[in-house]
Amino acid sequence: DAMVIQNPRYQVTQFGKPVTLSCSQTLNHNVMYWYQQKSSQAPKLLFHYYDKDFNNEADTPDNFQSRRPNTSFCFLDIRSPGLGDAAMYLCATSLGQGRAFFGQGTRLTVV
Amino acid sequence: AQSVTQPDIHITVSEGASLELRCNYSYGATPYLFWYVQSPGQGLQLLLKYFSGDTLVQGIKGFEAEFKRSQSSFNLRKPSVHWSDAAEYFCAVGTSTSGTYKYIFGTGTRLKVLA
């Protein structure tokens, strides 16, 4: 039973063309995270929502935006993808300080 | 600043041999510590976590980890490795700042298992 669902699993986008990745959860967790993971590297936190409060990491480029219209859904928008943005994007949720549950990830390719 | 260090980038063991993956953290308060496993092209699966109490924690798939405050370590162990354990392993610390909560990951250790 999938609890954190990311769509699509694979996304190919053109250089400079806006793209949106989606994440939904059935856990009713109040915290949702977006991580970027490049090949053979650790997941890097881009931002997270604590309830409706948006928390951006200091080094997250302005090119990356996020929306959380309700508890269940969170979106990652990349306004103008560059070749360097090709990566696996991981969504995760947690209930306060509890363990994080991760989705399967969306692998983004920029052509 | 909070950080997590996994000194070993790659480890190779023979099937049936014991395994220890090292993790050191830097965090001012009592840490929440996690080990996650990632198979190629997949998300992260939680193996085990430490919040408080017994410093030896048991996880899934026969893994265990020991929290040693004096050494700022949280090493992952398994007495007998199976070929299906080949994957990448990430240690993480959960940090709490100003009412928000996030996870900081180590750079990972890639485990290869020889038949």
Side-chain angles (χ1 to χ4, degrees):
Chain A
D1 295 338
M3 295 178 286
V4 182
I5 303 164
Q6 292 188 243
N7 284 305
R9 290 292 310 279
Y10 302 92
Q11 175 74 56
V12 180
T13 190
Q14 292 180 340
F15 182 95
K17 183 176 181 180
V19 65
T20 295
L21 310 181
S22 78
C23 177
S24 64
Q25 56 140 332
T26 60
L27 298 164
N28 204 33
H29 283 174
N30 60 332
V31 191
M32 294 188 77
Y33 311 80
W34 279 105
Y35 285 85
Q36 178 193 63
Q37 186 181 25
K38 296 189 176 180
S39 182
S40 300
Q41 295 184 21
K44 178 182 177 299
L45 182 65
L46 295 173
F47 26 58
H48 71 284
Y49 278 92
Y50 196 102
D51 295 319
K52 295 181 180 180
D53 295 332
F54 177 70
N55 298 275
N56 197 34
E57 292 301 297
D59 57 354
T60 297
D62 293 340
N63 198 26
F64 291 85
Q65 305 286 320
S66 185
R67 296 171 283 134
R68 188 179 186 185
N70 53 53
T71 300
S72 300
F73 285 87
C74 195
F75 300 98
L76 170 61
D77 301 309
I78 309 177
R79 293 191 296 188
S80 181
L83 298 178
D85 297 327
M88 174 79 90
Y89 290 88
L90 297 166
C91 174
T93 73
S94 72
L95 189 62
Q97 297 189 17
R99 58 165 285 194
F101 288 78
F102 283 82
Q104 293 294 297
T106 295
R107 181 164 298 282
L108 178 68
T109 301
V110 182
V111 298
Chain B
Q2 304 98 344
S3 65
V4 178
T5 302
Q6 293 180 246
D8 305 305
I9 298 174
H10 296 96
I11 282 186
T12 300
V13 299
S14 297
E15 191 170 21
S18 63
L19 172 70
E20 181 169 32
L21 303 183
R22 295 182 291 165
C23 173
N24 293 96
Y25 66 90
S26 173
Y27 186 56
T30 301
Y32 290 2
L33 296 162
F34 307 83
W35 274 99
Y36 284 87
V37 61
Q38 186 179 35
S39 297
Q42 301 296 315
L44 279 75
Q45 181 185 21
L46 181 72
L47 287 175
L48 47 77
K49 63 185 185 293
Y50 171 78
F51 285 179
S52 65
D54 193 346
T55 56
L56 183 64
V57 293
Q58 303 296 321
I60 62 171
K61 304 185 180 186
F63 285 93
E64 66 177 27
E66 186 170 13
F67 170 60
K68 293 185 177 180
R69 185 187 299 277
S70 61
Q71 299 177 18
S72 297
S73 69
F74 189 56
N75 294 348
L76 181 71
R77 300 194 294 250
K78 186 169 184 177
S80 178
V81 170
H82 188 262
W83 64 266
S84 61
D85 293 325
E88 185 132 28
Y89 292 79
F90 291 96
C91 181
V93 61
T95 69
S96 179
T97 307
S98 303
T100 66
Y101 189 70
K102 59 184 181 181
Y103 301 83
I104 297 172
F105 286 85
T107 50
T109 297
R110 185 171 296 276
L111 174 65
K112 183 177 179 180
V113 180
L114 300 177

